[in-house]
Amino acid sequence: MSLSLALQNINGYREEMTQFMVDMLKIKAVNPDDGGSGEYERAIFVQKWLEKLGAKVSRYDFADSRVAEGVRVNLTTMIEGVDRTKTLWFAAHLDTVPEGSRDLWSTDPYVPVVKDGKIFGRGSEDNGQAIVSTLFVFKALKTLNVKPTFNVGFAYVSDEETGSKCGVIPMIEKNVFKPQDMAIVPDTGSKDGTEIEVAEKSILWLKITTKGKQVHAALPYKGLNAHRVGLKFALQVDELLHSKYSATDDLFDPPASTFEPTKHELNVENINTVPGLDVQYFDCRILTRYKLGDVMKEIENAKAKIENETGAKIDLTPIQFEENAESTPVNCEVVQKLRKALKELRGTEGRPVGIGGGTVGAFFRRKGIDTAVWSTLDDMAHQPNEYCNIDNLVNDAKVFVHVAMN
Ligand SMILES: [Zn+2]
C-alpha cells in the first residue's frame, strides 16, 4: 500500500525535481584537481534542503588547502529501519569534471536549460541525476513516515572524479559504512537501465619518464634520443602485458584486461632537436585475478632490460594504483532487489555486468559491502552538452523507492 503511495509521490515530484536540478547546476562544483574551486557550496545547498525536510544530516569534512573553504564536505542522512544494524546506502557524488572545450557546447554549461524533456548543464547526468533522484526518494519516505525493514542511508560525497581522497576513502576509514551494509551507486548504467554493474577492473595509470641526452638532430650520435627509447619501451610493454595477462571474463565488456598507451607530453618545440626527455602514460584496466604488484614487476623487468641496452634512464610513476576487490556476487540481496524492482516497474530483466573501473563502488566492495552500480543513463557523462533525461530522473527514483521499501 505505502509503496504505491510512495511511487505516486515520486510522480508528483517531477516539476520539483527538475527545478531542484536547475538550481543545483547553477552552483559550480568542479573538482580542484581539474582546476575547479570544489563542491563545498553545492554540498551546503543539499544539506540545507535536507534539513528543511527535517533530516538529521551528518557532515564529514576533510581538509584540502586548495579550496577557499579549506575543507571538502561529505553528507549522510538516514531513514531508520526496523532493523537498525544494517543500512542500504544510496551514494551520489557532488563534484563534477570541467566543461572541456567551451566551443563544443551550444549552451552555457553553468546556465542550465530545460528543453525537450532534458536538463542541460555540466554535472546534470554525472552525477546530478543520482543526487536529485535519491534526494527525492528521501523526501518520499520521510513524507510518508515509512519505516523500512532496515536503515536506508543517503550519502552525498566529494572528490569522486579524481580519486575520492577527500570523499569515500576517508569516510570508509571512519567506519561510516559497515561491512554488513549494502550500497547502490547510481554512477554508470545503460540506456535501457538493464545493466547492473557488480564488478570493476583494477586500474593502473602509469607515467613513464625516459631520460636521454638532448642534442642537435644533425649530430644524433652525440646524444641519446629519449623519444626513440620511449617508443621502444612502450611497444615492448604493450606487447608484454597483452600476451602475459590475456585471461578473459565474460562479465566485462571488453572481456580482457586493457593496456593502452594514451597521453604523451610535449618534448621539444622544434623538429631539429633530439629530445633528451620523453614522458608518456599508460591507462591499464586489469581483471582482478591479476595483482597490480605483479604487473608492475613485469614492467620493471622490461625497464631494466631496456636501460641496459640503451643507457637511458627510465622512471616509472603510478598515477593511479587501484587494486579492486572481487565482484559483488550476482545473487546477493541488493542485486536481487534491483532486479525485482526492474521487473515489477518496467518489465525488464536486469543483468549483472562488469566495467573498466572508476566508480566509488570499488571502495565499498573493498570494505566487503555488496554494491550494485546502477542507473538509467543516456551516457552523457563528461561530454559537451551534457544533459539529464527527466524521465530517467523520475523513473530511477521509483526504482530506488521500490528497492528501499521491499
Ligand atoms: Zn560520476
Side-chain angles (χ1 to χ4, degrees), residues 93 126-127 160-161 187:
H93 68 86
D126 180 20
N127 201 218
E160 188 275 342
E161 292 292 357
D187 203 12

Side-chain angles (χ1 to χ4, degrees), residues 93 95-97 125-128 160-161 185-188 358-359 381-382:
H93 68 86
D95 59 317
T96 78
V97 293
E125 194 183 65
D126 180 20
N127 201 218
E160 188 275 342
E161 292 292 357
V185 177
D187 203 12
T188 68
T359 79
H382 303 202

Side-chain angles (χ1 to χ4, degrees), residues 74-370:
N74 299 269
L75 310 168
T76 64
T77 191
M78 203 169 274
I79 300 280
E80 271 192 5
V82 180
D83 173 0
R84 287 185 293 160
T85 62
K86 182 172 166 178
T87 304
L88 165 69
W89 288 99
F90 292 103
H93 68 86
L94 297 158
D95 59 317
T96 78
V97 293
E99 67 273 24
S101 173
R102 195 75 162 227
D103 302 343
L104 299 175
W105 286 77
S106 14
T107 60
D108 186 325
Y110 303 104
V111 180
V113 173
V114 183
K115 207 184 144 203
D116 305 329
K118 295 164 181 164
I119 309 162
F120 291 84
R122 175 52 89 225
S124 51
E125 194 183 65
D126 180 20
N127 201 218
Q129 184 175 313
I131 298 171
V132 179
S133 59
T134 57
L135 281 173
F136 281 81
V137 171
F138 175 86
K139 182 170 177 167
L141 301 183
K142 184 89 183 161
T143 308
L144 291 171
N145 218 347
V146 170
K147 206 167 180 75
T149 321
F150 33 78
N151 298 334
V152 179
F154 299 83
Y156 301 97
V157 301
S158 285
D159 199 27
E160 188 275 342
E161 292 292 357
T162 57
S164 295
K165 285 182 275 306
C166 296
V168 163
I169 292 175
M171 286 175 90
I172 284 177
E173 281 164 12
K174 280 182 169 293
N175 270 315
V176 177
F177 312 106
K178 311 275 187 294
Q180 70 270 25
D181 293 347
M182 302 178 277
I184 293 181
V185 177
D187 203 12
T188 68
S190 56
K191 249 190 151 107
D192 64 359
T194 58
E195 287 182 6
I196 302 171
E197 188 259 272
V198 292
E200 295 182 26
K201 291 173 182 170
S202 295
I203 303 184
L204 172 64
W205 286 0
L206 188 63
K207 179 180 185 183
I208 301 165
T209 307
T210 307
K211 291 167 192 158
K213 187 173 177 232
Q214 179 172 316
V215 287
H216 194 290
L219 304 163
Y221 63 88
K222 291 192 168 176
L224 174 58
N225 192 326
H227 183 39
R228 180 182 284 118
V229 178
L231 286 170
K232 259 191 195 161
F233 183 60
L235 280 176
Q236 280 185 14
V237 165
D238 191 18
E239 277 175 24
L240 173 77
L241 297 181
H242 278 103
S243 66
K244 183 113 195 178
Y245 302 103
S246 58
T248 58
D249 180 345
D250 285 333
L251 203 56
F252 291 92
D253 174 27
S257 303
T258 58
F259 306 96
E260 289 299 304
T262 53
K263 179 171 164 178
H264 193 283
E265 286 183 14
L266 179 68
N267 45 24
V268 286
E269 299 281 351
N270 49 314
I271 298 169
N272 55 351
T273 296
V274 167
L277 183 71
D278 183 79
V279 184
Q280 57 185 335
Y281 299 80
F282 266 73
D283 176 319
C284 311
R285 315 275 166 145
I286 302 165
L287 293 178
T288 51
R289 74 185 67 192
Y290 299 124
K291 293 287 152 258
L292 292 187
D294 294 341
V295 175
M296 274 304 290
K297 245 177 242 148
E298 285 296 331
I299 302 173
E300 268 153 21
N301 290 343
K303 161 195 131 112
K305 208 171 134 242
I306 211 158
E307 279 179 335
N308 250 329
E309 278 168 26
T310 62
K313 186 94 195 71
I314 299 175
D315 289 334
L316 302 174
T317 316
I319 304 292
Q320 260 206 81
F321 192 89
E322 291 302 336
E323 187 106 60
N324 280 348
E326 289 299 310
S327 343
T328 286
V330 296
N331 288 321
C332 72
E333 195 177 357
V334 66
V335 174
Q336 281 185 345
K337 279 171 175 293
L338 257 176
R339 295 184 73 174
K340 187 162 179 241
L342 289 172
K343 182 103 205 162
E344 287 179 13
L345 294 173
R346 301 184 181 180
T348 58
E349 290 292 341
R351 58 197 173 85
V353 298
I355 65 163
T359 79
V360 297
F363 303 116
F364 285 124
R365 287 187 191 117
R366 233 176 283 165
K367 177 87 178 180
I369 299 169
D370 284 341

